Amino acid sequence: MRIAMIGTGYVGLITGACFARFGHRVTCVDRDGERIAALRHARVPIFEPGLTALIETNVAADRLAFSTNLEGAVAEAEAVFIAVGTPRSRIDGAADLSDLHAAAREIAAAIAHYTLVVTKSTVPVGTHREVENRMHALRPDADFDVASNPEFLREGSAVDDFTHPDRVVCGTRSARAESVLREIYRPLFLNETPMLFTTPENAELIKYATNCFLATRITFINELADLCEAVDADVQVCARSLGMDGRIGPKFLHAGPGYGGSCFPKDTRALVATARSEGVPLRVVEAVIASNDDRKRRMADKIAAALAGGVQDRTLAILGLTFKPNTDDVREAPSLDIVPRLLEMGARLRAYDPGCLDRIPELFPGVTPCKDAYSAIEGADAAVILTEWNEFRALDLHEVRRRLRTPVLVDLRDIFDPGRLAELGFEYTSVGRTARSPAGT
Ligand code: NAD
């Protein structure tokens, strides 16, 4: 199968490389010439475990190529996936579909024979029809179908998520489109991955419902963490026990500084915008958004409260800036709220993050980048964990204690055990646990 992937960001690049691994011949297209030039020189512009090797193998096997020439890639393809960004519109929080419609216009102009056009981007209900109508208006002569195939991969484990998904959701009413999608995903089908064929409306809504539900779970456990702090309970014990309940399950129940990333903040807002425009408000999701925004703003105060006398003129070592580990992505990360607020409060900040170290001066002006965690901590008044990279879990705590000027550790990801930190002489602040809330066994 020949496939064109339009948009070579996180989703397009990973999907394109994984389709090539399935044995298809894939051309990944992007309008960003620098990105394509880098990829052609085997420089992968994003940090994602396993991706570089996957790209190298498939380029060498002649199954994966990169191009800025959308027209050529589409004219040759049997299926064209649109994986461009659908960011939050500044006006009402709805998804901004301008890149998607621009891509669809170019695809329509380039279609040369029957082509399946698939929206992989996360798009509001009804977008497939809008895309189809616009493409028909531009090219009434062209032979194509438009289907929806939302993507559920997570940054940081994206290659594995794509090749071992919980399910693949395809929305189409066309039997021909269904058979093309079945052929594309055949290797997963053979592995007994559940394939859900449904209407495009369902497929589009399932993606938003999934992200909104996960954001709700995170927000629930975050609010429960605040209550735990007030009543000397331990949120980790509560979460573990909740997770043992078969009706609930353990995932997305880790308390922290609030969710971020390129998907949950924008997708919750986009679904709320759709629901409002339909006159069916989603009050739970609206509350989740408000609670999470408020939480991210409050985290700087929590950090300041951990230092006697506050953070003015104190040096803090910030460990982790990306919205989660194993990615270089800082889009809507809690650090983007916390760091500027700490600077406003008069703190001096040094930071280390293995994913976005080179971009610290550009992303966080006024913050001094450090080459590793220990040099960030050296002589600081406190260390603050904002992202739970594994290398922070493995820190030598004796060494951390020795290097800090005052032994204050603020852990917004709950990666350390409060009892052990107390034994080592730290003044330890975490989320949803107090010194008086010993963990259960
Ligand atoms: P991204 O911003 O990383 O990448 C989008 C790419 O599309 C950019 O490289 C851009 O240059 C390119 N592009 C835009 N318009 C183009 C055009 N007309 N022609 C060619 N290239 C064009 O975006 P992303 O994070 O990969 O997300 C893409 C979509 O997938 C979004 O709708 C997002 O919500 C969804 N999604 C993202 C994730 C994730 O973890 N990032 C997971 C699931 C779904």
Side-chain angles (χ1 to χ4, degrees):
M1 184 82 63
R2 290 197 80 108
I3 295 174
M5 183 66 58
I6 313 303
T8 307
Y10 275 90
V11 169
L13 191 52
I14 286 150
T15 307
C18 290
F19 280 160
R21 179 175 172 181
F22 290 175
H24 304 305
R25 299 194 59 188
V26 182
T27 305
C28 285
V29 176
D30 207 287
R31 62 181 179 194
D32 178 343
E34 277 181 31
R35 176 170 279 253
I36 293 299
L39 284 161
R40 282 185 165 161
H41 288 95
R43 288 195 307 275
V44 179
I46 58 174
F47 176 96
E48 185 60 45
L51 183 60
T52 302
L54 186 64
I55 290 175
E56 281 169 5
T57 313
N58 285 286
V59 167
D62 215 12
R63 289 193 296 261
L64 182 61
F66 301 99
S67 174
T68 51
N69 177 3
L70 182 146
E71 190 184 349
V74 170
E76 284 183 349
E78 291 148 89
V80 179
F81 283 73
I82 308 180
V84 302
T86 49
R88 186 197 320 174
S89 135
R90 289 192 192 285
I91 304 155
D92 57 0
D96 177 346
L97 300 180
S98 47
D99 281 350
L100 183 100
H101 287 309
R105 272 195 304 276
E106 287 184 66
I107 294 165
I111 283 176
H113 46 78
Y114 173 79
T115 307
L116 174 62
V117 179
V118 186
T119 51
K120 179 110 299 312
S121 302
T122 303
V123 292
V125 180
T127 302
H128 75 285
R129 194 182 307 281
E130 178 73 22
V131 167
E132 199 166 57
N133 290 344
R134 289 182 184 209
M135 288 179 63
H136 271 307
L138 283 168
R139 281 290 306 279
D141 60 308
D143 187 12
F144 66 90
D145 281 307
V146 178
S148 166
N149 171 222
E151 183 48 56
F152 298 94
L153 61 78
R154 293 161 301 171
E155 290 176 21
S157 52
V159 173
D160 194 53
D161 285 348
F162 193 90
T163 45
H164 300 88
D166 291 334
R167 80 301 205 189
V168 174
V169 175
C170 298
T172 178
R173 291 190 176 84
S174 151
R176 193 170 182 185
E178 178 172 334
S179 74
V180 175
L181 284 161
R182 280 193 192 280
E183 181 57 24
I184 291 171
Y185 281 106
R186 195 154 51 96
L188 293 185
F189 198 50
L190 295 175
N191 280 343
E192 300 189 352
T193 298
M195 300 275 297
L196 176 65
F197 280 89
T198 183
T199 64
E201 290 79 6
N202 283 341
E204 289 166 336
L205 193 56
I206 286 165
K207 172 65 195 176
Y208 281 106
T210 305
N211 278 357
C212 289
F213 190 73
L214 295 173
T216 303
R217 283 177 68 108
I218 294 172
T219 305
F220 172 80
I221 204 71
N222 282 341
E223 291 196 342
L224 195 75
D226 292 346
L227 181 60
C228 285
E229 287 178 19
V231 300
D232 291 339
D234 182 326
V235 74
Q236 284 197 325
V237 178
C238 294
R240 202 157 57 235
S241 177
L242 278 169
M244 289 170 186
D245 190 317
R247 295 166 300 178
I248 298 174
K251 294 189 177 161
F252 286 81
L253 285 179
H254 301 287
Y259 62 75
S262 67
C263 292
F264 288 1
K266 86 173 168 65
D267 292 349
T268 45
R269 282 179 164 82
L271 191 61
V272 161
T274 301
R276 281 198 190 143
S277 74
E278 297 294 332
V280 190
L282 290 177
R283 293 195 187 89
V284 170
V285 185
E286 289 180 18
V288 163
I289 295 168
S291 172
N292 194 65
D293 286 351
D294 176 56
R295 184 173 195 80
K296 289 203 264 187
R297 281 193 294 269
R298 280 190 290 115
M299 284 298 125
D301 298 327
K302 184 178 174 83
I303 294 165
L307 284 98
V311 292
Q312 173 138 33
D313 297 325
R314 313 292 284 281
T315 300
L316 307 188
I318 304 289
L319 304 184
L321 293 161
T322 52
F323 84 97
K324 66 168 170 178
N326 296 326
T327 180
D328 55 0
D329 201 342
V330 296
R331 288 180 281 185
E332 307 227 22
S335 59
L336 292 173
D337 285 84
I338 296 169
V339 165
R341 181 82 190 103
L342 289 172
L343 289 170
E344 264 170 41
M345 290 174 171
R348 286 187 294 267
L349 301 184
R350 297 190 208 141
Y352 167 67
D353 184 292
C356 68
L357 186 55
D358 298 347
R359 291 185 298 141
I360 290 178
E362 161 208 340
L363 294 167
F364 299 94
V367 175
T368 308
C370 296
K371 68 176 180 11
D372 60 27
Y374 294 112
S375 44
I377 289 165
E378 185 73 52
D381 295 294
V384 182
I385 311 269
L386 290 192
T387 314
E388 68 277 33
W389 286 90
N390 268 341
E391 66 176 83
F392 301 152
R393 294 178 201 275
L395 282 171
D396 176 345
L397 292 172
H398 291 282
E399 187 63 18
V400 172
R401 171 91 173 74
R402 205 183 58 69
R403 290 187 183 226
L404 279 172
R405 210 158 66 83
T406 47
V408 177
L409 205 160
V410 183
D411 172 9
L412 297 187
R413 299 292 182 170
D414 286 1
I415 62 173
F416 295 119
D417 171 39
R420 168 137 169 79
L421 271 280
E423 267 169 37
L424 291 171
F426 281 96
E427 291 165 35
Y428 179 63
T429 302
S430 60
V431 175
R433 302 175 302 173
T434 67
R436 294 177 303 281
S437 56
T441 49

